[in-house]
Amino acid sequence: MIAPDWMKDIAWDDNGLLPVIVQEAGSGDVLMFAWMNREALARTVELREGVYWSRSRGKLWHKGEESGHTQKVLDIRLDCDRDVLLLKVEQTGGIACHTGRHSCFFHSLVDDRWDEVEPVIKNPHDIYK
């Protein structure tokens, strides 16, 4: 894959990865954090859907490929240091987290413990077959 010129402006880490914050355009909620390599970013731009690099699986991961909860990408922004990406998305089905919740950020530090403060919208066993 030949990288387009604009991709050369990105400060990729030593592993060729870029951290990505995914924000719901309508609500402003931060839905998830992920990683992209050059191919994932190119596919995201091409499809206008979230495609990420799964470090645990060592492969591309098209968000929603199993669950159907895809992310329509409305805006792609690079931070001032050019080393973090922000995607503004429309989240299909309202579920971004593999736990069946709206956001992956559902643990809140309350006193001296982590509380789950967002409900499960759909049981993950019903999402992933």
Side-chain angles (χ1 to χ4, degrees):
M1 175 184 90
I2 297 173
D5 285 341
W6 57 263
M7 214 179 267
K8 296 172 187 168
D9 295 330
I10 296 172
W12 302 92
D13 75 6
D14 292 341
N15 296 313
L17 298 175
L18 180 69
V20 182
I21 300 164
V22 182
Q23 181 182 37
E24 188 172 45
S27 69
D29 290 348
V30 175
L31 299 177
M32 56 181 266
F33 170 83
W35 295 92
M36 283 187 178
N37 62 8
R38 287 168 178 80
E39 185 179 359
L41 180 52
R43 295 282 294 150
T44 295
V45 169
E46 174 189 347
L47 298 172
R48 300 308 285 186
E49 288 191 350
V51 179
Y52 306 98
W53 176 255
S54 172
R55 295 181 305 161
S56 62
R57 292 179 261 178
K59 67 176 192 167
L60 288 181
W61 158 51
H62 186 160
K63 177 72 174 145
E65 63 192 4
E66 292 179 36
S67 67
H69 300 135
T70 57
Q71 294 172 337
K72 180 181 177 185
V73 176
L74 304 178
D75 194 10
I76 301 173
R77 297 189 182 197
L78 189 61
D79 81 323
C80 57
D81 294 325
R82 299 177 178 264
D83 62 357
V84 177
L85 209 62
L86 172 67
L87 298 185
K88 295 188 179 193
V89 305
E90 285 180 3
Q91 179 64 56
T92 303
I95 298 173
C97 185
H98 73 279
T99 66
R101 291 176 173 84
H102 176 65
S103 168
C104 293
F105 295 95
F106 60 87
H107 291 105
S108 181
L109 187 59
V110 179
D111 298 322
D112 61 349
R113 70 181 189 285
W114 294 103
D115 280 352
E116 294 181 359
V117 295
E118 287 194 24
V120 172
I121 297 170
K122 190 170 184 181
N123 186 319
H125 297 296
D126 297 331
I127 297 171
Y128 303 99
K129 305 294 181 206

